[in-house]
Amino acid sequence: MAFRPEKPAAKTPNIVLFFIDDLGYGDLSVYGALGYKTPNLDKMAQEGTRFTNFMAAQAVCSASRAALLTGCYPNRLGISGAFGPNAGVGLNPKEETIAELVKAQGYATGIFGKWHLGSDQEFLPLQQGFDEYYGVPYSHDMWPLHPWQERAKYPPLHWIEGNKPVKEIKNLEDASELTPVITEKAISFIKRNKNKPFFLYVPHPLPHVPLAASAKFRGKSERGIFGDVMMELDWSVGEIMKELKAQGLDNNTLVIFTSDNGPWLNYGDHAGSAGGFREGKGTSFEGGQREPCIIRWPGVVPAGRVSNKLLSTLDVLPTIAKLTNAKLPKEKIDGLDFSALLKGDDTQTPRESFLYYYRKNNLEAVRKGNWKLVFAHPGRTYEGSLPGKNGQPGPSPEDHQFPKALYNLARDPSERYDVLEQNPEIVAELEKIADAAREDMGDDLQNKTGKNVREIGRAGRK
Amino acid sequence: MAFRPEKPAAKTPNIVLFFIDDLGYGDLSVYGALGYKTPNLDKMAQEGTRFTNFMAAQAVCSASRAALLTGCYPNRLGISGAFGPNAGVGLNPKEETIAELVKAQGYATGIFGKWHLGSDQEFLPLQQGFDEYYGVPYSHDMWPLHPWQERAKYPPLHWIEGNKPVKEIKNLEDASELTPVITEKAISFIKRNKNKPFFLYVPHPLPHVPLAASAKFRGKSERGIFGDVMMELDWSVGEIMKELKAQGLDNNTLVIFTSDNGPWLNYGDHAGSAGGFREGKGTSFEGGQREPCIIRWPGVVPAGRVSNKLLSTLDVLPTIAKLTNAKLPKEKIDGLDFSALLKGDDTQTPRESFLYYYRKNNLEAVRKGNWKLVFAHPGRTYEGSLPGKNGQPGPSPEDHQFPKALYNLARDPSERYDVLEQNPEIVAELEKIADAAREDMGDDLQNKTGKNVREIGRAGRK
């Protein structure tokens, strides 16, 4: 037999990861949004696969971002909620992020947008595998103009370039530059890195409040400023996609679009829509965590497909790792590789279950397939309270007592009909999953506090 | 100038109209259904346009069907609810149906499935423009096995061929032939009419209860018998589409798929899902009337498009009339031609408003754009009552008192946040639309009973 050289490894794709802020399940036209259109995202869905059962790992900003970038439930990292400017903690620099994994494979890495995984220098993106950073360190409502926190609490907000603040964002007019500037920086990154593989992370700070759109988009939608902002975000996606095409990179780029958590509903006409799912941001009901997700890679990911498989932002890291031949993190992660499903093998069901942890370490619900067991817990509710108008928030009581309940998400996607008493076997099965999670990561609701939960902070993992 | 002959009229398309029974907004994979797949309908959406804002004209069977076939609000026809076997009335034979309009254009016309517009001979489809009929005269729970009506009330149920009963449907085993037999008859109609234009109306009786699937599909879904039935209906659509292709008719056939009303939620695991919209069948909340709608006509209707424009089953007749060069009915109709929008002109907004009439003549709500004003009314609610299991219905109180409320469907698609007090100008605008409707068709809620409402029955329109 003749000697055969090994087949050269297929070229690994560039990755563009859009992570939008407080975008609800119902906020893209292709998911049914009303009052404005998102033609670029609708086109992405036509050219790629649209997911309908895709879960953010937790319903609040920092926790959700930590999970996306590490493939771990945020409580496994010791992270919950949203870091304030003076938190003094962040994602442990020892955690391995997607950026670090692909950087080891020779990828250029850039983040343009909102970080929110610690604002002290040691926690900033350059210390987590990113070559370049231009963006805001945390939510842009964490500034002196915050509508309900005491003004003195939040220091001035700055654009950060690399490790340094470069320009203050003083008012809504300044904030209206968020989307165009991030777009411009992302496009510049593509231009400069067109000849090597790259990982471009675009965590847009909008449509998180306070809403601000460029003059070009203001007043353009039938949905007020929220629709204007959505139109501008869709424009941004379109510009970045256009640049990929212009550089001839379109067919070798995996583009992922999703969001960190559901809409902040008490902001009323300044909030998005969960598209019929119950509750929103800051809750473990589907409205808090079920997100739009579109993935496109021409010729590899089937075009025009809709997938209803249960997946999570947790699964992005191992999937990217697989597609870029990167090594997985050394520590245990929770994400599951769905690359085969993504490429079109619909027999794959990579994720069977999902854990809904919230607050510090409350296991509020567990899911297996289409069944969701909600444990008795105190939590935020938007129901029964009048949302705000014109950017002013309405009330969102945080200590509503939710009873234990079982929902069948297949016939009751909006979690309205508790069928706990009718299904003792299902409950028992879900309780087992919960018990295993408690053993692994603890559960404050059951007074089994996080024995295995990694701790975070300046001191690093203990 | 040389003489130019007139351009010959473009060939008018064949029409296939699927009208499914009690199918909810969330019941197709492409609309997010869980527990089973609908690959043929998902493919139809990829190859055509999927609508997300498409309203059945009323949330119950006979009324909805009358509206579809005539382009009139059912109360304009004097029809409400569902006709029982012994109703003695039906759609007035003098009303002009889609079948009559296209028959005048030389179309062959066939209906295979459920009629439910009067079961006495004078009301049957052959008297309303159809050349052929094979199907059931009304819902197949109107039989001696009905779970909660007194047994004696309903006579035996028969398949009807033309004007004659031909075979009794005695039990669930017999009912499991509904989908395959209707499919076979529809395919035979296509084969026999391949050389002339045709209008094929396929109002499948399922997934209305009682659910029954062929042996081939039983136990095949993860969603119990409901999922099995949905898989079989999807198969049926696929077989009919396959036949169009086999006969070379694919590119010259307009296919429309939609449903008569939302899911009958108190049937629990035997009911579909409204996909997060509020309530279901028998209510004027969005869950009762917002329906999946997919329209396909290769080369004419844009492929892979999602349209969020407000439309209704009312609009099907004038649109078909336009596309087939048929004359509109002589009497006033409520439907609006959306053929230009359908063909890709997204600047078109044919429908600005919609009236939610229910019960005999109650104007329960009005809509303009994304605003919906609900009037104080008594009505069915499924909320707070435990749905049934294994085909047994749970309670569905009919006289819940709903208060007057205003909803913004763009940011609150599930009608949870009443913003009436915040928006007096919007309320005033919607009240005007309601007043015009009351002037035109009356409103029992306001004691302005139908002065202009046509009357129905054996005597014909008075």
Side-chain angles (χ1 to χ4, degrees):
Chain A
M1 261 172 82
F3 171 73
R4 289 199 198 148
E6 271 191 56
K7 212 170 133 191
K11 203 176 162 192
T12 57
N14 305 307
I15 316 273
V16 178
L17 175 56
F18 291 100
F19 203 53
I20 310 300
D21 204 314
D22 292 1
L23 182 85
Y25 186 83
D27 287 333
L28 307 184
S29 305
V30 69
Y31 286 82
L34 299 177
Y36 57 88
K37 301 196 91 177
T38 55
N40 292 296
L41 285 156
D42 298 1
K43 187 155 178 274
M44 195 190 287
Q46 277 185 34
E47 297 172 345
T49 295
R50 181 169 72 89
F51 294 86
T52 67
N53 204 352
F54 192 90
M55 310 303 299
Q58 199 167 113
V60 162
C61 193
S62 298
S64 181
R65 281 154 211 269
L68 173 75
L69 291 183
T70 64
C72 294
Y73 284 112
N75 50 315
R76 189 181 294 289
L77 310 168
I79 291 179
S80 67
F83 295 130
N86 304 314
V89 291
L91 176 66
N92 190 323
K94 291 184 189 163
E95 295 296 342
E96 295 178 74
T97 68
I98 295 173
E100 286 166 311
L101 301 186
V102 299
K103 193 174 164 69
Q105 294 299 99
Y107 276 61
T109 55
I111 162 176
F112 306 99
K114 168 174 161 182
W115 175 241
H116 216 173
L117 289 171
S119 51
D120 295 339
Q121 183 169 325
E122 66 199 286
F123 299 115
L124 286 177
L126 299 201
Q127 286 62 256
Q128 283 287 15
F130 287 97
D131 301 329
E132 299 184 28
Y133 171 42
Y134 195 95
V136 285
Y138 36 73
S139 301
H140 65 287
D141 66 341
M142 294 176 172
W143 64 348
L145 304 176
H146 195 288
W148 44 274
Q149 296 281 4
E150 286 170 43
R151 293 201 169 208
K153 197 174 174 185
Y154 289 132
L157 172 70
H158 289 88
W159 285 100
I160 310 284
E161 180 166 22
N163 283 322
K164 303 287 173 212
V166 288
K167 193 181 166 192
E168 190 178 343
I169 302 173
K170 289 181 184 159
N171 49 40
L172 277 183
E173 192 59 36
D174 290 352
S176 75
E177 293 177 6
L178 285 167
T179 302
V181 167
I182 288 164
T183 306
E184 181 197 314
K185 298 286 179 184
I187 288 174
S188 160
F189 177 83
I190 294 171
K191 283 191 207 289
R192 289 181 285 108
N193 291 284
K194 62 186 176 191
N195 294 321
K196 34 187 164 170
F198 60 77
F199 170 52
L200 167 60
Y201 176 43
V202 188
H204 270 300
L206 289 158
H208 190 297
V209 290
L211 299 179
S214 301
K216 197 176 150 190
F217 290 94
R218 253 174 254 163
K220 287 295 188 297
S221 84
E222 294 164 19
R223 172 76 158 82
I225 182 69
F226 183 85
D228 301 345
V229 165
M230 285 305 303
M231 287 172 71
E232 187 160 16
L233 287 165
D234 181 75
W235 163 86
S236 169
V237 169
E239 291 299 296
I240 290 167
M241 299 305 289
K242 214 185 282 177
E243 189 61 32
L244 292 175
K245 284 206 177 77
Q247 301 296 346
L249 302 172
D250 193 47
N251 285 328
N252 195 39
T253 302
L254 172 74
V255 178
I256 303 174
F257 178 96
T258 189
S259 168
D260 64 341
N261 49 247
W264 207 349
L265 292 172
N266 57 314
Y267 278 86
D269 52 1
H270 281 227
S273 151
F277 289 114
R278 185 169 172 184
E279 301 283 359
K281 173 175 177 168
T283 81
S284 54
F285 290 97
E286 295 296 291
Q289 296 187 238
R290 189 87 73 95
E291 290 302 328
C293 175
I294 302 170
I295 305 186
R296 177 187 185 273
W297 182 6
V300 181
V301 171
R305 177 176 58 162
V306 174
S307 173
N308 303 329
K309 295 281 176 143
L310 174 61
L311 290 170
S312 165
T313 48
L314 294 169
D315 306 324
V316 170
L317 178 142
T319 302
I320 288 180
K322 176 75 174 186
L323 296 171
T324 59
N325 305 317
K327 277 190 193 141
L328 288 174
K330 291 177 291 292
E331 297 272 344
K332 178 176 179 177
I333 66 166
D334 299 291
L336 299 160
D337 166 28
F338 65 98
S339 58
L341 169 66
L342 185 62
K343 289 178 177 182
D345 181 356
D346 288 327
T347 65
Q348 301 279 320
T349 303
R351 174 167 292 283
E352 300 278 357
S353 64
F354 184 74
L355 307 172
Y356 299 74
Y357 271 98
Y358 193 58
R359 296 202 171 178
K360 185 144 191 266
N361 206 33
N362 286 2
L363 182 58
E364 293 186 354
V366 296
R367 179 161 170 201
K368 186 181 178 190
N370 301 323
W371 293 99
K372 181 172 175 181
L373 181 62
V374 174
F375 297 103
H377 68 281
R380 175 184 296 182
T381 186
Y382 300 103
E383 299 208 353
S385 60
L386 200 65
K389 221 186 152 180
N390 299 326
Q392 293 309 302
S396 58
E398 298 286 329
D399 286 307
H400 184 76
Q401 290 295 323
F402 292 98
K404 190 172 182 179
L406 179 72
Y407 300 108
N408 179 342
L409 296 177
R411 68 187 177 82
D412 178 21
S414 40
E415 299 168 277
R416 296 281 161 201
Y417 303 104
D418 172 20
V419 290
L420 188 106
E421 286 181 19
Q422 295 175 305
N423 297 281
E425 350 57 59
I426 305 284
V427 172
E429 207 181 329
L430 287 160
E431 290 278 15
K432 270 189 207 161
I433 294 169
D435 282 338
R438 288 169 185 137
E439 191 64 31
D440 181 18
M441 290 187 282
D443 176 7
D444 289 351
L445 280 176
Q446 306 287 331
N447 296 315
K448 294 176 186 170
T449 304
K451 62 172 185 175
N452 292 319
V453 178
R454 297 176 199 172
E455 303 214 357
I456 53 138
R458 292 173 182 273
R461 187 184 304 142
K462 281 170 191 165
Chain B
M1 262 173 79
F3 173 73
R4 289 199 198 147
E6 271 190 58
K7 214 170 130 192
K11 204 176 160 190
T12 58
N14 304 305
I15 315 273
V16 179
L17 175 55
F18 291 101
F19 204 53
I20 309 301
D21 204 315
D22 291 1
L23 182 85
Y25 186 83
D27 287 335
L28 306 184
S29 305
V30 70
Y31 285 82
L34 298 177
Y36 57 89
K37 299 196 93 176
T38 55
N40 291 297
L41 285 156
D42 298 0
K43 187 156 178 275
M44 194 189 287
Q46 277 185 35
E47 296 170 348
T49 294
R50 180 170 73 87
F51 294 87
T52 67
N53 204 352
F54 192 90
M55 310 302 300
Q58 199 167 112
V60 161
C61 194
S62 298
S64 180
R65 281 154 212 270
L68 174 76
L69 291 183
T70 66
C72 295
Y73 283 113
N75 49 314
R76 189 181 293 288
L77 310 168
I79 291 180
S80 66
F83 295 131
N86 305 314
V89 291
L91 176 65
N92 189 323
K94 292 185 190 161
E95 296 295 342
E96 296 177 73
T97 68
I98 296 173
E100 285 166 311
L101 302 187
V102 298
K103 193 175 166 69
Q105 295 297 98
Y107 276 60
T109 55
I111 161 174
F112 306 100
K114 168 174 162 183
W115 176 241
H116 216 172
L117 290 170
S119 51
D120 295 340
Q121 182 168 325
E122 65 199 286
F123 299 115
L124 286 177
L126 299 202
Q127 285 64 254
Q128 284 286 16
F130 288 98
D131 302 329
E132 299 185 28
Y133 171 41
Y134 195 95
V136 285
Y138 36 72
S139 301
H140 66 285
D141 65 341
M142 294 177 171
W143 64 347
L145 304 175
H146 195 286
W148 48 271
Q149 296 280 6
E150 284 171 42
R151 292 201 170 209
K153 196 173 175 187
Y154 289 131
L157 171 72
H158 289 87
W159 284 101
I160 310 283
E161 181 166 21
N163 284 321
K164 303 286 173 213
V166 289
K167 194 182 165 192
E168 190 180 343
I169 301 172
K170 288 181 183 158
N171 49 41
L172 277 184
E173 192 60 34
D174 289 353
S176 75
E177 292 177 7
L178 285 167
T179 302
V181 167
I182 288 164
T183 307
E184 183 197 312
K185 298 285 180 188
I187 287 173
S188 161
F189 177 83
I190 293 171
K191 281 189 208 291
R192 287 180 287 107
N193 292 286
K194 61 185 173 192
N195 295 323
K196 33 186 164 170
F198 60 77
F199 170 53
L200 168 60
Y201 175 44
V202 187
H204 270 299
L206 288 158
H208 191 295
V209 290
L211 299 178
S214 302
K216 196 176 148 192
F217 289 93
R218 253 172 255 163
K220 286 296 188 297
S221 84
E222 293 165 16
R223 172 79 157 77
I225 181 70
F226 183 85
D228 301 345
V229 165
M230 285 306 303
M231 286 172 71
E232 187 160 16
L233 287 166
D234 181 75
W235 163 85
S236 169
V237 169
E239 291 301 296
I240 290 167
M241 298 305 290
K242 215 186 280 176
E243 189 61 30
L244 292 175
K245 284 206 176 77
Q247 300 296 346
L249 302 172
D250 193 43
N251 286 329
N252 196 39
T253 302
L254 173 74
V255 178
I256 303 175
F257 178 97
T258 189
S259 168
D260 66 340
N261 51 247
W264 207 349
L265 291 172
N266 57 315
Y267 278 85
D269 51 1
H270 281 228
S273 151
F277 289 116
R278 184 168 171 184
E279 300 285 356
K281 173 175 177 167
T283 82
S284 55
F285 290 97
E286 296 296 292
Q289 295 186 239
R290 191 86 72 94
E291 289 301 328
C293 176
I294 302 170
I295 305 186
R296 176 187 185 274
W297 184 4
V300 182
V301 172
R305 177 176 56 162
V306 174
S307 174
N308 303 331
K309 294 280 175 145
L310 174 61
L311 291 170
S312 162
T313 49
L314 294 169
D315 307 323
V316 169
L317 178 141
T319 302
I320 288 179
K322 175 76 172 184
L323 296 172
T324 60
N325 305 318
K327 277 191 194 138
L328 287 175
K330 290 177 293 292
E331 298 272 343
K332 177 176 178 178
I333 66 166
D334 299 291
L336 299 161
D337 166 28
F338 66 98
S339 58
L341 170 65
L342 186 61
K343 289 177 176 181
D345 181 356
D346 288 326
T347 65
Q348 300 281 318
T349 303
R351 177 166 288 285
E352 299 278 359
S353 64
F354 184 75
L355 307 172
Y356 299 74
Y357 271 98
Y358 193 58
R359 296 203 172 175
K360 186 149 189 268
N361 207 32
N362 286 1
L363 182 58
E364 293 186 354
V366 296
R367 180 164 168 197
K368 185 179 179 195
N370 301 323
W371 293 99
K372 181 172 177 181
L373 180 62
V374 174
F375 298 104
H377 68 279
R380 176 183 296 180
T381 185
Y382 300 104
E383 299 210 351
S385 60
L386 201 64
K389 219 185 154 179
N390 299 325
Q392 292 309 302
S396 57
E398 298 285 330
D399 287 307
H400 185 77
Q401 291 294 324
F402 292 99
K404 189 171 183 181
L406 179 72
Y407 300 108
N408 179 341
L409 296 177
R411 66 187 178 84
D412 177 23
S414 42
E415 297 166 278
R416 296 281 161 201
Y417 303 103
D418 172 19
V419 290
L420 188 105
E421 287 181 20
Q422 294 176 305
N423 297 280
E425 348 58 58
I426 305 284
V427 172
E429 206 181 331
L430 288 160
E431 290 279 17
K432 270 189 206 161
I433 295 170
D435 282 338
R438 287 169 187 136
E439 192 63 32
D440 181 19
M441 290 189 281
D443 176 8
D444 289 351
L445 281 177
Q446 306 287 333
N447 296 316
K448 296 178 187 170
T449 306
K451 62 173 184 174
N452 293 318
V453 177
R454 298 177 197 170
E455 301 217 356
I456 53 139
R458 292 170 180 274
R461 187 184 306 145
K462 282 171 190 163

